[in-house]
Amino acid sequence: MTPDHRSIRPKGLTQRLAILFGLLVLLLLGVAAAYIDFSWHTVKRERLADLSNLVELGAASSEMFLQRYSERAAILAGDVSLQGAASDLPSVRTRLSHYQAADPNLGGIYAFLPDGTLVAATTEEPAAAPAHVDDAVFRRDFAQALAGDRPVI
């Protein structure tokens, strides 16, 4: 009987092939991990850039909105004060309603005395609602508004 040459392999060659295969698998896993890490950070940067653009757009939009309505509020305050706001409260409410009807984006317009008392509004306040004068947030915001140089409506 002659030995089959295919069945005779050096033992060292099999081990080296197994080691090389293991190293190849580790190399491929390392490349895959590096690609995943790179992809993750790239997508994260893109999303953060998109969110940053949305925040800037929202800030510009709100700034434009607030500027537009602060200009209108100053015009309204001047108009109401010219009409004699302290002496004729029904005409103040009529004037406020006229301004509100001209702009459908306004939910309501309120006129206050310097002490925070509501004197005219375009919406009816329900009787069960808490007094706005007692609200700490209202008092703080109202004090800041009165400290400014613009008329307060």
Side-chain angles (χ1 to χ4, degrees), residues 65 68-69 72-73 75-77 79-80 91-111 118 120-125 153:
F65 175 83
R68 177 176 152 201
Y69 281 103
R72 286 185 176 188
I75 292 169
L76 174 60
D79 191 22
V80 167
S91 77
V92 170
R93 186 168 196 280
T94 304
R95 180 68 53 194
L96 295 179
S97 297
H98 172 74
Y99 271 81
Q100 183 184 12
D103 190 350
N105 294 322
L106 292 176
I109 304 174
Y110 305 93
L118 180 66
T122 58
T123 61
E124 295 297 324
E125 193 172 314
I153 290 282

Side-chain angles (χ1 to χ4, degrees), residues 8-69:
I8 300 174
R9 286 188 208 160
K11 203 171 201 182
L13 182 64
T14 306
Q15 287 178 346
R16 279 186 274 176
L17 285 174
I19 290 171
L20 287 175
F21 181 74
L23 289 175
L24 181 63
V25 168
L26 286 175
L27 178 67
L28 290 175
L29 287 174
V31 169
Y35 177 74
I36 290 171
D37 184 58
F38 173 75
S39 298
W40 169 258
H41 288 294
T42 301
V43 169
K44 186 177 174 183
R45 274 192 301 271
E46 288 174 359
R47 293 292 180 222
L48 287 175
D50 290 345
L51 288 174
S52 176
N53 289 341
L54 286 174
V55 167
E56 288 176 14
L57 178 66
S61 175
S62 64
E63 180 66 29
M64 185 179 74
F65 175 83
L66 292 174
Q67 181 181 5
R68 177 176 152 201
Y69 281 103

